[in-house]
Amino acid sequence: MPFSDFVGNPETVHRLREMLARERFPHAVILSGAHGSGKYTLALMLAMAMNCLERTVIGRTSAERTLIGRSADAGGAGDLPDFCGHCSNCIRIAQSRDLDARFAEAVEARENLRDADKKETRLFVQTHPDVLIIPPDPPQMMIKVDQVRHVIDTIYYRPGEARERVYIFTGSAFMKEAANSLLKVLEEPPEFASIFLLTENAGELLPTIRSRSMTFNLGALTFAEIESRLATLRPDWNARQRALVARLSEGAVGRALSFDLEGYVAARSHALIILRSALAEKNNDHSELFKTTESYRSGAEGRAKIEGLFRTLYSLLEDLMFLQSGAGQLVRNTDILGELRKLSESSDFAWVQRAAEGLGEVERGLRRNLLRSLSLDAFATALEGVS
Ligand SMILES: [Zn+2]
């Protein structure tokens, strides 16, 4: 799993590795990008490259280096540091890769403590003694001052088994005191430590923290980049499915890889029944519609299901608007383009807008806890015949 496995943003990755090669890596790096853009994956890869016991530098002889140096200009790996993935440092750091699973384990471990200890225990993920991952602490999901205190308590000691201590903050929502404590570390960082701050919105961090860090953005990938990645990693999806997922994951490869395609398609089939029923002639048979809306129940599970339905309804309505405004290339539900064209022909732009507004009303109604299935029926029937 070397750097070449990282998808997208090759220039950013290249610059970070170059700084590593020159031993000019900044003490604090802000990795900014959408959810699923690879911030955490990249931070872990850099932690491995810093500490790999068999750190590889391609092209050791000067002749090779010249040759490879040229290919590096053309976007190749050059003689930049990489990591092996199988030494004891790489293996232990890589155990943190499944952040959701490690986070859940840490939360559960804390839940099992006695009440008195629970309050004292701050949340961390740590699979290597010199690499500490600091997630936002539930239930507030903020970085707390005691978490940063633990960073301060350890960061000034030389690493034991690594060359570089690495701290990865996986969120940028800090309690005020925590942010101020972090600032103190950034004012006097030790030589042998690197801090990564991962954020979807760098503006959330204190300006004084930002000015003491170097910011790197992980931009959205193209559909083609995501599709080609999915072809390797999700061979169980066919080309149409890969095209659909690439378009729905908004340029974030992590989101594409964990996309719940089955759940999406199920919700979409319901959304289509609702839209078809709304666009049908007046006094049509509502049995299919009612059967669908009846399956939406209250409770936490019902809540998630109905939110999935809303998301797909909005995404279909948006696609209809794209078709009606001559921007068909922006349609995301490409696998049902024929069906969308039919729907788009039997409605018009004003109808789609009314539908989106009506949907907003149903959503607000649900927040006031109206009976779920009832308001869905009302939504579909209210739109009937207005085209
Ligand atoms: Zn290694």
Side-chain angles (χ1 to χ4, degrees):
M1 197 202 58
F3 276 110
S4 55
D5 279 356
F6 188 80
V7 193
N9 292 285
E11 278 164 29
T12 304
V13 176
H14 191 91
R15 270 166 62 211
L16 284 160
R17 292 174 70 193
E18 238 168 22
M19 292 192 299
L20 207 56
R22 291 194 198 126
E23 308 206 335
R24 293 269 163 79
F25 203 81
H27 291 298
V29 164
I30 295 171
L31 291 179
S32 154
H35 176 68
S37 59
K39 305 181 289 290
Y40 183 66
T41 304
L42 183 57
L44 277 190
M45 283 180 165
L46 289 163
M48 284 191 258
M50 285 169 186
N51 293 309
C52 178
L53 299 171
E54 294 171 36
R55 182 149 147 182
T56 49
V57 177
I58 311 159
R60 284 161 202 281
T61 72
S62 61
E64 271 174 13
R65 198 167 287 160
T66 319
L67 276 173
I68 291 164
R70 256 182 233 140
S71 71
D73 292 337
D79 53 357
L80 296 175
D82 214 324
F83 51 95
C84 74
H86 52 72
C87 72
S88 72
N89 277 347
C90 282
I91 286 176
R92 282 179 291 170
I93 295 169
Q95 281 164 353
S96 291
R97 209 183 303 157
D98 188 345
L99 181 60
D100 290 343
R102 297 295 89 76
F103 177 78
E105 285 162 13
V107 171
E108 200 192 328
R110 182 166 69 181
E111 281 306 304
N112 291 335
L113 294 173
R114 289 180 311 149
D115 278 351
D117 298 333
K118 224 182 269 181
K119 283 201 194 80
E120 306 283 301
T121 307
R122 289 289 158 248
L123 214 64
F124 298 103
V125 168
Q126 187 162 35
T127 56
H128 184 289
D130 299 312
V131 178
L132 186 73
I133 290 138
I134 307 107
D137 200 337
Q140 302 93 332
M141 293 311 278
M142 308 234 349
I143 307 280
K144 295 186 178 149
V145 68
D146 287 344
Q147 289 175 296
V148 180
R149 276 199 192 120
H150 182 65
V151 172
I152 297 174
D153 287 345
T154 56
I155 198 169
Y156 294 101
Y157 291 98
R158 288 200 168 273
E161 297 179 47
R163 281 187 292 269
E164 189 95 4
R165 278 189 179 281
V166 179
Y167 295 84
I168 304 172
F169 289 89
T170 64
S172 56
F174 282 76
M175 305 282 268
K176 199 170 169 219
E177 215 185 322
N180 288 330
S181 299
L182 177 67
L183 191 56
K184 287 198 193 96
V185 182
L186 297 183
E187 282 164 352
E188 274 181 279
E191 275 309 303
F192 40 77
S194 290
I195 297 171
F196 290 94
L197 295 158
L198 314 186
T199 181
E200 288 176 39
N201 169 20
E204 214 173 38
L205 293 161
L206 286 181
T208 39
I209 288 181
R210 272 181 284 151
S211 65
R212 284 173 176 82
S213 316
M214 261 182 102
T215 302
F216 295 85
N217 291 306
L218 295 182
L221 306 194
T222 63
F223 297 153
E225 281 175 306
I226 295 184
E227 279 179 63
S228 86
R229 195 66 196 161
L230 291 176
T232 325
L233 293 175
R234 291 302 303 256
D236 50 319
W237 287 343
N238 63 36
R240 275 160 67 116
Q241 291 172 318
R242 292 196 294 265
L244 171 66
V245 172
R247 278 155 186 78
L248 290 169
S249 49
E250 293 172 50
V253 73
R255 241 193 268 185
L257 285 172
S258 59
F259 194 85
D260 174 16
L261 183 61
E262 213 179 308
Y264 178 81
V265 171
R268 192 179 63 182
S269 70
H270 287 169
L272 284 169
I273 289 172
I274 291 174
L275 288 183
R276 260 188 248 120
S277 167
L279 279 168
E281 293 298 306
K282 256 191 175 160
N283 305 320
N284 69 326
D285 175 18
H286 285 134
S287 56
E288 197 190 14
L289 171 68
F290 292 157
K291 220 170 92 191
T292 303
T293 56
E294 238 179 47
S295 71
Y296 286 80
R297 300 275 172 207
S298 38
E301 202 183 314
R303 180 109 229 155
K305 191 177 166 191
I306 203 159
E307 274 161 12
L309 177 71
F310 282 139
R311 272 198 302 278
T312 48
L313 271 169
Y314 279 123
S315 100
L316 291 174
L317 289 173
E318 245 169 22
D319 280 354
L320 291 181
M321 284 197 213
F322 288 144
L323 285 173
Q324 286 162 348
S325 52
Q329 75 281 5
L330 296 177
V331 166
R332 280 148 318 163
N333 291 279
T334 43
D335 58 325
I336 52 162
L337 196 57
E339 164 103 47
L340 288 174
R341 280 195 203 287
K342 257 192 265 164
L343 285 173
S344 133
E345 279 156 21
S346 53
S347 62
D348 59 20
F349 201 76
W351 184 89
V352 175
Q353 271 187 321
R354 274 183 54 97
E357 280 160 25
L359 196 55
E361 269 166 46
V362 178
E363 257 191 311
R364 285 190 290 280
L366 284 181
R367 261 181 246 129
R368 294 193 303 268
N369 269 327
L370 297 184
L371 275 174
R372 284 180 169 83
S373 61
L374 210 68
S375 31
L376 275 179
D377 293 341
F379 166 69
T381 46
L383 284 167
E384 266 177 38
V386 291
S387 59

